Amino acid sequence: ITGPSEDSAAASETKRDLVDREKTRLRFWTNLLDHSKEKTKLHSGISSSTRGWIGSGAGLAAGLTLNYLIRSHDAHVELYIDGGTDADQENIDRFNKLFVNKEKIESSLEDEIVWEPLEGKRACRVSSVVDLGGWKDEEAWEDVIEALVDRMIRFNSAIKPFMKPPNLPIHGTQ
């Protein structure tokens, strides 16, 4: 009688790791959303997830979402710009109209912002890193969650004045 092959044992271990990661992220997002509801309505209409990100339009123009991202040892807030199929140029135009106001936005946020036109992709991203820990750092979750929610509120306030018409084109209009 032989046991499982090395390959099947490795595959089983990978599946267990994936399930553990998904369960951990679900708990993290549940905690974040519970805390967020005490401070803002920005993401009050969404549910926890097993993914590495959660977000919503939060009342922004179509194709603009405010997201939280969690990685192993850091986290981010972001504005993701994706107007959908055939909106490549519109996405770049929206990104550029925000980027023109980079100094005002960064000054208002008082934290570093990463500007990513995502060359070769349809979408663009504007984000800010919270470098206090990630989903693997459960002992830091309270601080990470507090910092993420605070950063999202300030991030939204900093970019919102530049996200609505006439500053940004709406898909299908000039």
Side-chain angles (χ1 to χ4, degrees), residues 69 71 73-78 109 111-114 116 127-133 147-148 151 155:
L69 291 90
R71 298 189 316 181
H73 299 291
D74 67 11
H76 302 238
V77 298
E78 77 173 7
L109 180 63
D111 280 302
E112 186 177 331
I113 293 180
V114 179
E116 299 175 273
S127 65
S128 181
V129 178
V130 172
D131 208 7
L132 299 173
L148 275 172
R151 183 80 52 94
F155 185 77

Side-chain angles (χ1 to χ4, degrees), residues 86-104:
D86 299 326
D88 301 40
Q89 188 57 52
E90 177 184 336
N91 295 334
I92 292 294
D93 292 346
R94 286 177 159 188
F95 177 86
N96 288 338
K97 287 188 179 193
L98 288 170
F99 192 75
V100 166
N101 293 290
K102 176 183 176 185
E103 287 182 26
K104 291 178 189 172

Side-chain angles (χ1 to χ4, degrees), residues 35-169:
H35 181 73
S36 177
K37 287 175 186 170
E38 297 172 8
K39 297 192 160 223
T40 181
K41 294 181 183 199
L42 277 175
H43 292 91
S44 61
I46 63 173
S47 300
S48 297
S49 171
T50 59
R51 296 179 305 213
W53 64 274
I54 58 173
S56 71
L60 308 177
L64 301 175
T65 57
L66 288 171
N67 300 322
Y68 290 104
L69 291 90
I70 189 77
R71 298 189 316 181
S72 296
H73 299 291
D74 67 11
H76 302 238
V77 298
E78 77 173 7
L79 172 68
Y80 196 73
I81 305 168
D82 185 2
T85 306
D86 299 326
D88 301 40
Q89 188 57 52
E90 177 184 336
N91 295 334
I92 292 294
D93 292 346
R94 286 177 159 188
F95 177 86
N96 288 338
K97 287 188 179 193
L98 288 170
F99 192 75
V100 166
N101 293 290
K102 176 183 176 185
E103 287 182 26
K104 291 178 189 172
I105 293 169
E106 289 179 346
S107 173
S108 177
L109 180 63
E110 298 177 350
D111 280 302
E112 186 177 331
I113 293 180
V114 179
W115 299 85
E116 299 175 273
L118 301 177
E119 299 293 328
K121 295 191 176 185
R122 175 178 81 195
C124 301
R125 174 183 341 193
V126 181
S127 65
S128 181
V129 178
V130 172
D131 208 7
L132 299 173
W135 67 266
K136 287 187 175 182
D137 307 304
E138 288 192 51
E139 71 284 351
W141 279 11
E142 189 174 323
D143 292 337
V144 172
I145 288 169
E146 179 69 34
L148 275 172
V149 172
D150 176 64
R151 183 80 52 94
M152 180 62 79
I153 292 167
R154 291 184 298 110
F155 185 77
N156 180 57
S157 294
I159 61 175
K160 195 166 192 160
F162 307 101
M163 290 189 297
K164 294 193 175 177
N167 294 318
L168 292 176

